[in-house]
Amino acid sequence: EEHALIACGGVLRVHDLGTGEILDWPKLEGNDYLGACFHPDSGLVLTRTNELAIWEAATGTLQSSHRMHAGVAVFNSDGRFVVAGDGSGKLVVLDWSSDPWSAVKALHPYSTALGEIRFSPDAEVLAVAVTDGTLALWSWPDLECLATWTGFPAVSIRCRYSSDSRRLLAVGGGVVRVFDVATRSELATLRSNESEILCADFTADASQVVLGFADGLVRIWEVFDDPRGVALARRPRELGPAERARFGR
C-alpha cells in the first residue's frame, strides 16, 4: 500500500506515501467525485461520478469510461473486472478491458440502493450491503447468493474481513455483527446505546475488533473461540496506555 486516495467534491488527490508527493487531478467542473478506489496493482484508479472511469494514478490520464451512475463500484481481486451497484438495487459485473465496457453479468436482486461491495482476501466471496439494512454474501465469480442477513438499521453498512477470510465484520449505526463466512452463522452482536459506532476492523489475528465511536473513544471488543469452538464476546473496553500508543491515541 504505497498510495492513498482522497476524493472530496470535484477534487481528487493521490498521495505517494513513500515520497510524500501529492498529485492533484484536474478539478471536475459541474460534477463531484462520489468515490474512488485503486486497481490491485495501484497503477490505476477507478472513480465514480455520473459515470465510471479508470485513470492512470501517476498522471491522472483517462484510460476508459462507462456511462453508469453507480452508488458503489470496486475492482475484483485481480483487477480484471469492475463490480458495481446502482440506486435501483442492480448488481453488475463489467469487463472494462473492452470498448465499450461489456456487462458479463447483471442481476437485480434488491429494490433499494447498494451501499458497499467488498471482496474477501481469498477472492472467493463478496459481501454486498444494501441501504435497507440487508447484508448478503455472494460467491465469486458465479454470483450465487450464499447467505442473507437482515436487522441492521436502514443506514450505510460497512464491512471488513479478517485477514484469513474466515470472518466478516459488519457495522451499521450502533450495531456491530461478526459472521462466520464458511458456516454463514452469526458469531456475535454488539449494540451501542451510548454512542454511534463509526468504524471497526479486525486485528491481524481476528481475535479482537477495534471500534471507533462518535464520542471520540476507541475501544477493543474481544471475539474469540473457547475450547469447544463456540464464539464468545467480551464487553468492549477502552484502550490501555500501550494500546493507545500503538494506535496513535
Side-chain angles (χ1 to χ4, degrees):
E1 296 182 359
E2 300 177 348
H3 297 83
L5 279 174
I6 298 177
C8 182
V11 176
L12 191 144
R13 292 179 172 178
V14 179
H15 290 233
D16 188 316
L17 302 180
T19 66
E21 182 181 357
I22 299 175
L23 172 65
D24 282 316
W25 288 15
K27 180 177 173 60
L28 291 178
E29 297 298 335
N31 208 345
D32 287 339
Y33 289 110
L34 303 177
C37 67
F38 280 112
H39 187 275
D41 67 7
S42 298
L44 300 172
V45 172
L46 169 66
T47 61
R48 290 186 293 111
T49 56
N50 56 3
E51 65 178 7
L52 298 174
I54 294 177
W55 313 72
E56 286 186 4
T59 64
T61 303
L62 179 64
Q63 295 294 300
S64 181
S65 64
H66 177 71
R67 193 72 177 179
M68 177 181 178
H69 192 80
V72 59
V74 297
F75 287 107
N76 77 309
S77 300
D78 64 11
R80 180 182 174 188
F81 301 105
V82 170
V83 183
D86 67 9
S88 71
K90 184 184 295 184
L91 183 63
V92 184
V93 179
L94 298 162
D95 183 350
W96 63 272
S97 64
S98 62
D99 186 17
W101 296 17
S102 59
V104 178
K105 289 193 177 182
L107 307 174
H108 207 153
Y110 307 107
S111 58
T112 55
L114 306 189
E116 183 167 39
I117 298 171
R118 186 170 292 273
F119 279 89
S120 60
D122 63 10
E124 293 185 358
V125 296
L126 61 154
V128 176
V130 190
T131 54
D132 64 358
T134 299
L135 176 67
L137 204 62
W138 293 76
S139 62
W140 178 262
D142 53 342
L143 283 189
E144 296 289 337
C145 187
L146 304 174
T148 299
W149 300 286
T150 59
F152 285 94
V155 295
S156 176
I157 302 172
R158 297 168 297 282
C159 305
R160 294 290 185 273
Y161 291 93
S162 58
S163 58
D164 59 8
S165 300
R166 292 179 54 236
R167 291 177 172 174
L168 174 65
L169 170 70
V171 184
V175 179
V176 181
R177 298 163 72 179
V178 179
F179 303 94
D180 185 291
V181 173
T183 65
R184 328 290 189 230
S185 59
E186 186 167 346
L187 301 179
T189 301
L190 171 69
R191 297 181 185 274
S192 173
N193 297 319
E194 300 173 357
S195 180
E196 182 182 2
I197 303 168
L198 300 179
C199 57
D201 205 349
F202 285 107
T203 54
D205 63 1
S207 66
Q208 297 177 322
V209 175
V210 182
L211 305 166
F213 288 78
D215 60 11
L217 291 178
V218 176
R219 297 180 174 92
I220 295 290
W221 186 33
E222 293 183 84
V223 180
F224 58 95
D225 294 335
D226 74 359
R228 297 167 298 168
V230 179
L232 303 174
R234 290 197 178 115
R235 185 178 180 84
R237 60 177 175 81
E238 294 184 19
L239 273 65
E243 290 167 323
R244 285 198 297 271
R246 176 185 170 195
F247 289 102
R249 297 288 296 180

